[in-house]
Amino acid sequence: MRYRKLAALLCLAGCNTAYAAPEGTMPAGSMEMRQVFDTLQLPDAPDRYFSGSGMPGPDYWQNRADYTIHARIDPLTHRLTGEETVTYTNNSPDSLDELWVQLDQNIYRPRSRASFANPERHAHTTDGAVIEQVTLIRNGHETLLQPRVNDTRMQLALPDPLPHGQKVQVRIRWHHTIPGTWGGRTAVSSAKDGDIYEVAQWYPRMSVYDARRGWDTLPYLGQEFYLDYGDFDYTVTVPWNFTVVGSGALLNPADVLTPTERARLAQAAHSDRTVLIRTAQDVTDPASHVARNGEKTWHFRMENTRDVSFAASPAFMWDAARMDLPALKPAPGMPPTPRLAMSVYPREGQGAQAWDRSTEYVKHAIEYFSSQWYAYPWPNAVNVGGHGAGMEYPGIVFDGWQDRDAMLFWITTHELGHDWFPMIVGSNERRNAFMDEGFNTFIDAYASQHFNNGEYAPKKDPEFAPRTGRPADDIIPVLTDPQAPPLMLTSELVPEKYRHPVSYFKSAYGLMLLREQILGPERFDAAFRRYIQVWAYRHPAPSDFFRFMNSETGEDLGWFWRGWYFENWWPDYALTDLSAINNDPHQGMQVGVRSKGRLMLPVVLRLDYADGTHADQIIPTESWHLTDHITVNFPAGPAVLKATLDPDHALPEPDRTDNSRTMP
């Protein structure tokens, strides 16, 4: 790492270091270098919608989807029955004669496309999303629409085209059976005090219509999502003894919470320490509910979000603490209220190093990411201890009640980090997993260093540096595996074997190399914060990110994007000579360095002196534009013991056998 204090002087006597290519004709490596450094053609050309600077273009547009949803859960059948009204705004320059809707629950139908693409995930089936009725609402009247359902997509032909700038309202009635734990990201699991419902992908969701593809209608095969933004107002009706937490703010606490629970929430709103809202004793005490029979309806609202999710159970303990963020209005016309970090989990999840600390981790993640990158925009943040999906939704994440110690911290921080990628920066997860998982894993790694003086640092889990916690070493098997896919491969084509090593780890480490080895934290952090700000609640593609970082940092990083993202290249440097200039130490020292790799990361060359000091020189990327061999001159100084390339093992270099040379 170059941006830190050195053990001795950076370079003695001013170190007017010279770079000299070998004399004579251009070396054989020059053609190879031309391929490495030639102009990189990015997948998407700039236009009036997406500018050459990586910023949204002057005519950038984005459609909007607002939802009002009412849902009810029948615990006897695990059936969710729902009705939604979608208000869809066409901001595109096109007139739309149809709408496309995602029916993600159809992934569980027999013979779904996903059952063939990923058969190991779909041993059980349901009827999927059963569409009962679809109507178009105009002037208070409803007109039946005849949906055309194909796998996980529903096409709605409009009787009249929807012009630019106009809105349309569609009402959809449906039901589906919530799958068991085999549902993965949406499931019912059992605890000793009752079932836990983790409910996601639970309502028909509008597909994205954008300037790149029109309707983006990839079938859902079990990976991730791509959604537009809007306001959500939703209710969930459940049995009287259920506790519900969801994305956004609870609007009717007086209807569903006891005075004791409300008083504890008020206490938590002013407490940096975790306050129990529902205790272990409350879970088994019928008197801890506002009703003893029938049903309760929980009302939530979340604004400017791409999705909502919720969890419900009679088994939930519940705790909370305040987040050190400005108060926020839960809904228009309501006064600002403090924002809470919260956790719900069954009694089995209790423990001093288990879910007793979950809210502490939630609070840290939201506050740290807010101060470091971009302010968290929503009312609350909830961690759910359920069957262990390890899955994220705006303002709420689903983790495992059995998680504990470092793993609970890492999974909580990672899933909440997704509130920034892709919940705030709305990249297309279905196509570009590295912009979702990798960007998030990158910010997670620094959160591990920041929390409680590095209590859980370094991050070392299946997502990042899984063997040793040292990314430069742990990434080597990925880089040198000829079967490993490049980061730019579309998400659905990445085999499960490589999903974590490539989409998570390699992507995250690429940003770490960019921050620590190429740009330095000051330049990188300013550019990355600006990227988040500019693309918040919008849809950037990889080309936008690459162009933005080039423009914002003042660097042509095409060589890095090509080597790390489009290819699986790595650096490989070697020392070829260490000697006195003209055999006279008083004239200084010369060090021959050769590049044998294709990723020309800046590399530190260190001379160690007999008096215990050393001098460092960074060899910049441009050194290799026309040659694969250079000579670096150091001024005269104390007697030299040895020269070393990358002495701190900061670079992912597979072969280090020729990185050091001692004086003859």
Side-chain angles (χ1 to χ4, degrees):
M1 189 184 299
R2 304 185 314 285
Y3 298 90
R4 69 196 185 299
K5 294 181 181 178
L6 296 175
L9 297 175
L10 176 64
C11 209
L12 298 177
C15 193
N16 295 317
T17 306
Y19 300 92
E23 292 182 0
T25 61
M26 200 173 275
S30 62
M31 289 301 295
E32 181 75 11
M33 296 308 178
R34 188 177 301 173
Q35 295 171 5
V36 168
F37 290 110
D38 198 8
T39 301
L40 175 65
Q41 298 298 323
L42 295 172
D44 298 313
D47 55 27
R48 68 183 192 270
Y49 305 123
F50 304 95
S51 73
S53 67
M55 301 272 284
D59 295 331
Y60 179 87
W61 55 267
Q62 196 168 297
N63 289 350
R64 179 181 177 90
D66 298 291
Y67 297 81
T68 300
I69 313 173
H70 304 288
R72 178 182 179 275
I73 291 177
D74 182 349
L76 296 179
T77 61
H78 295 174
R79 173 178 286 191
L80 184 149
T81 303
E83 177 184 306
E84 71 180 21
T85 300
V86 186
T87 302
Y88 187 74
T89 305
N90 178 22
N91 294 317
S92 81
D94 309 320
S95 290
L96 304 180
D97 59 1
E98 63 184 8
L99 304 177
W100 282 90
V101 181
Q102 302 177 47
L103 303 178
D104 298 303
Q105 289 297 316
N106 285 356
I107 194 175
Y108 305 111
R109 282 184 172 180
R111 296 178 295 281
S112 69
R113 292 191 183 189
S115 68
F116 289 90
N118 300 293
E120 71 281 0
R121 299 185 185 178
H122 301 283
H124 305 275
T125 61
T126 71
D127 292 334
V130 179
I131 303 300
E132 300 171 0
Q133 187 182 75
V134 182
T135 58
L136 182 70
I137 305 174
R138 289 187 295 191
N139 301 320
H141 299 287
E142 296 192 36
T143 303
L144 276 174
L145 297 180
Q146 296 300 322
R148 291 193 289 267
V149 176
N150 184 292
D151 197 59
T152 58
R153 291 82 50 86
M154 179 169 68
Q155 185 182 25
L156 302 176
L158 298 175
D160 301 300
L162 179 64
H164 163 76
Q166 298 298 306
K167 300 181 180 182
V168 65
Q169 281 194 322
V170 175
R171 178 168 292 156
I172 304 173
R173 297 180 178 88
W174 85 97
H175 68 265
H176 69 263
T177 299
I178 303 169
T181 54
W182 46 270
R185 291 174 168 153
T186 180
V188 182
S189 58
S190 296
K192 63 185 177 183
D193 295 309
D195 287 341
I196 297 174
Y197 291 79
E198 297 163 84
V199 184
Q201 295 84 255
W202 56 284
Y203 58 95
R205 306 190 292 181
M206 293 299 304
S207 296
V208 173
Y209 186 87
D210 64 23
R212 289 192 168 93
R213 295 181 180 85
W215 289 109
D216 199 315
T217 56
L218 280 179
Y220 178 48
L221 301 179
Q223 294 286 354
E224 304 279 5
F225 312 107
Y226 185 39
L227 300 160
D228 272 327
Y229 292 87
D231 296 341
F232 286 72
D233 193 293
Y234 67 104
T235 63
V236 180
T237 299
V238 290
W240 63 273
N241 61 337
F242 276 47
T243 295
V244 181
V245 290
S247 301
L250 178 65
L251 298 188
N252 64 333
D255 297 334
V256 294
L257 302 179
T258 65
T260 298
E261 290 169 328
R262 299 200 303 274
R264 291 169 178 170
L265 281 170
Q267 179 186 352
H270 301 284
S271 174
D272 288 322
R273 292 184 176 274
T274 300
V275 175
L276 277 165
I277 312 304
R278 285 190 61 79
T279 67
Q281 292 72 30
D282 292 335
V283 171
T284 58
D285 181 6
S288 67
H289 297 278
V290 293
R292 306 289 178 84
N293 55 58
E295 295 178 324
K296 292 188 296 191
T297 296
W298 300 65
H299 186 188
F300 297 91
R301 183 177 176 86
M302 194 173 196
E303 297 184 352
N304 203 21
T305 179
R306 51 176 249 163
D307 196 10
V308 291
S309 186
F310 68 90
S313 178
F316 280 154
M317 293 180 60
W318 181 11
D319 63 42
R322 80 177 186 100
M323 295 194 292
D324 189 14
L325 299 171
L328 196 69
K329 290 183 179 181
M334 298 181 69
T337 58
R339 294 190 268 176
L340 296 175
M342 300 190 289
S343 301
V344 293
Y345 46 92
R347 289 190 294 158
E348 300 95 298
Q350 296 178 92
Q353 281 299 111
W355 280 79
D356 290 8
R357 295 193 71 183
S358 169
T359 291
E360 177 188 358
Y361 304 154
V362 174
K363 176 178 166 65
H364 171 264
I366 300 298
E367 292 176 353
Y368 172 70
F369 294 142
S370 292
S371 63
Q372 177 67 13
W373 303 116
Y374 184 88
Y376 183 73
W378 295 304
N380 303 307
V382 187
N383 194 15
V384 177
H387 84 278
M391 188 57 192
E392 71 281 354
Y393 301 93
I396 188 170
V397 298
F398 297 163
D399 292 323
W401 65 261
Q402 294 177 315
D403 294 336
R404 56 181 298 117
D405 301 311
M407 190 54 65
L408 178 58
F409 172 83
W410 287 329
I411 193 69
T412 299
T413 302
H414 176 82
E415 303 309 337
L416 288 167
H418 277 299
D419 276 311
W420 281 260
F421 306 101
M423 306 309 170
I424 293 173
V425 180
S427 55
N428 189 340
E429 301 174 272
R430 289 197 175 176
R431 297 183 184 272
N432 309 119
F434 79 90
M435 296 184 73
D436 158 39
E437 298 296 355
F439 285 25
N440 178 30
T441 302
F442 164 73
I443 65 175
D444 299 342
Y446 290 105
S448 293
Q449 298 173 19
H450 184 268
F451 177 75
N452 201 21
N453 298 313
E455 179 180 354
Y456 297 124
K459 181 175 171 65
K460 186 179 75 169
D461 60 11
E463 298 166 353
F464 189 83
R467 294 191 305 156
T468 68
R470 298 187 299 273
D473 295 333
D474 289 359
I475 199 66
I476 299 302
V478 181
L479 298 180
T480 57
D481 182 348
Q483 302 301 317
L487 281 167
M488 289 296 291
L489 186 68
T490 188
S491 302
E492 301 286 6
L493 299 182
V494 178
E496 184 65 24
K497 172 184 177 182
Y498 294 107
R499 193 166 62 89
H500 279 98
V502 174
S503 300
Y504 292 66
F505 180 19
K506 189 187 178 192
S507 174
Y509 185 42
L511 295 183
M512 193 171 283
L513 287 171
L514 191 61
R515 182 179 191 264
E516 297 179 4
Q517 306 304 322
I518 300 173
L519 298 173
E522 184 177 5
R523 273 203 297 168
F524 177 90
D525 290 357
F528 200 57
R529 290 177 186 127
R530 177 76 172 140
Y531 168 75
I532 298 172
Q533 178 189 24
V534 163
W535 285 102
Y537 316 109
R538 290 172 168 166
H539 297 314
S543 297
D544 301 312
F545 175 70
F546 298 148
R547 289 193 178 102
F548 187 91
M549 295 302 288
N550 287 350
S551 179
E552 195 74 10
T553 64
E555 296 285 347
D556 183 352
L557 297 165
W559 61 273
F560 181 64
W561 309 134
R562 174 184 281 118
W564 196 260
Y565 290 82
F566 291 82
E567 306 287 349
N568 286 332
W569 293 349
W570 60 82
D572 188 4
Y573 297 110
L575 290 177
T576 60
D577 177 60
L578 173 61
S579 60
I581 297 174
N582 297 323
N583 295 316
D584 180 3
H586 294 94
Q587 296 185 39
M589 302 298 297
Q590 60 184 12
V591 185
V593 184
R594 182 186 173 204
S595 176
K596 302 186 296 179
R598 289 184 167 187
L599 187 69
M600 312 315 184
L601 293 171
V603 60
V604 173
L605 172 60
R606 174 172 295 174
L607 284 190
D608 283 303
Y609 298 114
D611 65 359
T613 62
H614 67 256
D616 283 357
Q617 174 60 49
I618 299 170
I619 300 175
T621 297
E622 290 79 7
S623 306
W624 312 105
H625 276 181
L626 299 175
T627 181
D628 61 0
H629 190 282
I630 64 171
T631 299
V632 181
N633 293 339
F634 284 79
V640 173
L641 296 178
K642 67 175 181 177
T644 306
L645 286 166
D646 190 27
D648 299 311
H649 288 209
L651 304 186
E653 191 174 359
D655 180 10
R656 295 181 175 273
T657 58
D658 46 13
N659 279 28
S660 184
R661 184 174 282 250
T662 57
M663 276 297 291

